[in-house]
Amino acid sequence: MQTIIVVFNPGKLENADMDLRYSVSDRIEEASGFLIQSNGYDFIDTEDGEPGPLMGIWLETENASENWHIVSELFRSEKFIGNDLSLSVRIYISENDTDDLENCTLVNLIWLIHLKNFAQQ
């Protein structure tokens, strides 16, 4: 299985409710028809001087590069416990099983940059 990690910065959330760790992964499983499944969560230390810790939700799927878009679309179309996650989370992927964040590729920030550039045209 491959890895998708959804990283939350509680300081950027309107409602930093810890239940997000369950509600988000449950909804992703449902919306993806279980193509993407929960694989736990963890807290992630930040660099010195940055607010934290961050919270990461690990997900597993057969094809992370193909399926991360399901997560992104879900975050754009639904709010979770009063939070617009399309504006406040980062999505990372890896071809490896249960990979560490530092080994993953950030994918949704690139998408947001393209969207912003398109909107300015």
Side-chain angles (χ1 to χ4, degrees):
M1 297 293 268
Q2 297 182 3
T3 302
I4 299 173
I5 305 174
V6 177
V7 177
F8 299 82
N9 181 335
K12 293 185 178 182
L13 298 173
E14 291 183 34
N15 182 14
D17 191 315
M18 290 300 295
D19 284 342
L20 283 167
R21 64 184 179 232
Y22 304 117
S23 62
V24 168
S25 57
D26 289 348
R27 184 65 185 114
I28 290 170
E29 287 180 346
E30 181 183 344
S32 71
F34 293 90
L35 287 173
I36 303 170
Q37 297 186 13
S38 178
N39 199 17
Y41 73 94
D42 201 358
F43 294 97
I44 303 164
D45 291 329
T46 59
E47 300 294 322
D48 289 337
E50 292 185 33
L54 305 176
M55 183 175 68
I57 296 177
W58 270 253
L59 304 162
E60 62 184 13
T61 186
E62 290 290 330
N63 190 330
S65 63
E66 185 176 299
N67 293 335
W68 76 267
H69 296 281
I70 297 169
V71 177
S72 182
E73 288 291 328
L74 182 64
F75 290 166
R76 284 192 308 237
S77 65
E78 296 183 18
K79 286 192 174 189
F80 290 81
I81 310 178
N83 295 289
D84 182 349
L85 299 181
S86 69
L87 303 174
S88 55
V89 302
R90 292 187 176 179
I91 302 171
Y92 296 81
I93 63 171
S94 172
E95 293 180 353
N96 299 317
D97 187 33
T98 316
D99 212 345
D100 292 328
L101 182 63
E102 59 268 12
N103 300 326
C104 295
T105 302
L106 177 63
V107 291
N108 74 317
L109 191 58
I110 295 166
W111 178 86
L112 287 173
I113 290 168
H114 289 298
L115 182 63
K116 183 178 177 183
N117 290 339
F118 179 76
Q120 291 176 347
Q121 293 179 356

